[in-house]
Amino acid sequence: GRIGANDHLTVGTLIKAVADKDLTVRRDAVTALGRVEFAADDAVQALAGALSDVDRETRSRAAAALATMPPDSQAAVPQLIRAVRDSAPEVRCRAASTLGAIGHVAREAIPVLIAALRDDDSDVRWKASAALGQMGVAAVPGLAAALLDRDAEVRRCAAESLDRLGSLARDAARTLTSALRDEDVVVRRSAASALGRIAESSPEIVR
């Protein structure tokens, strides 16, 4: 169940436990903080600090816990951006997903998420693509540029993100139209779907 934000004793104890010497205690404390109903600033900061823990599982759990706290977790965006470059793929996945949950207020993460579209791990690429699809219009220029990448996987992720953005992707209409001739069928399908969404709200753009 959720932990009430007014239970200061419990929350304070958990915050201290995030720095415990025992690995299991740290992991469990991070997970428990993710169940706090309304995150206090010090809880967010504790989780942001845990993104640098020596233990990859603790880092991963910290990123997941922060996903339950928007908009409070906005304060942890710089640490989450660094976590998208973590050595552990599960941490990169969770960090990218959390940035997507925070949404357009985390738009400073767009460059690192664009870069993550070429991650060696397919799950990281998918999470980065999904996150960019929640970043709003600020992500469109970078995604449009990624549609021209030599790597087909990067183009797929970019096209899928633009499709998720729907009508917000209208400034990428010309690039999406060119993508209809892409050699990759997934890119062509996502581009067609995105153009269909754009046409619903701005038919004059897609003619």
Side-chain angles (χ1 to χ4, degrees):
R2 304 291 285 178
I3 298 170
N6 59 351
D7 192 347
H8 300 297
L9 180 61
T10 299
V11 174
T13 302
L14 288 171
I15 289 170
K16 291 179 180 178
V18 169
D20 196 276
K21 293 180 180 179
D22 184 84
L23 175 61
T24 302
V25 173
R26 295 202 307 275
R27 287 179 176 179
D28 289 346
V30 162
T31 300
L33 278 177
R35 300 192 180 113
V36 175
E37 288 181 349
F38 301 101
D41 290 344
D42 46 359
V44 172
Q45 289 306 315
L47 290 170
L51 289 171
S52 300
D53 196 280
V54 295
D55 173 54
R56 62 196 293 172
E57 178 64 21
T58 300
R59 299 197 303 273
S60 179
R61 291 190 186 196
L66 285 164
T68 70
M69 299 179 173
D72 301 291
S73 51
Q74 180 182 352
V77 166
Q79 292 89 344
L80 286 164
I81 288 173
R82 287 196 292 273
V84 176
R85 303 188 185 99
D86 195 275
S87 60
E90 64 268 31
V91 178
R92 300 198 299 273
C93 275
R94 290 275 177 81
S97 182
T98 297
L99 287 166
I102 295 170
H104 70 278
V105 294
R107 55 186 173 273
E108 64 194 272
I110 289 173
V112 74
L113 290 170
I114 292 285
L117 296 180
R118 57 176 67 254
D119 196 281
D120 291 337
D121 188 282
S122 61
D123 287 337
V124 176
R125 295 195 298 268
W126 186 86
K127 292 293 187 183
S129 172
L132 285 163
Q134 299 178 70
M135 289 288 167
V137 69
V140 172
L143 289 169
L147 269 181
L148 305 175
D149 197 276
R150 290 180 300 176
D151 189 324
E153 182 65 26
V154 174
R155 298 197 306 277
R156 285 182 206 138
C157 289
E160 288 168 358
S161 294
L162 288 166
D163 187 19
R164 289 187 185 94
L165 285 168
S167 62
L168 294 176
R170 57 184 173 273
D171 287 348
R174 181 173 295 181
T175 310
L176 285 164
T177 300
S178 298
L180 293 174
R181 298 188 294 274
D182 196 280
E183 63 185 20
D184 186 274
V185 65
V186 176
V187 175
R188 297 197 303 272
R189 287 174 181 168
S190 294
S193 178
L195 286 167
R197 293 175 185 271
I198 293 168
E200 288 178 2
S201 62
S202 306
E204 73 282 358
I205 293 179
V206 185
R207 288 182 176 175

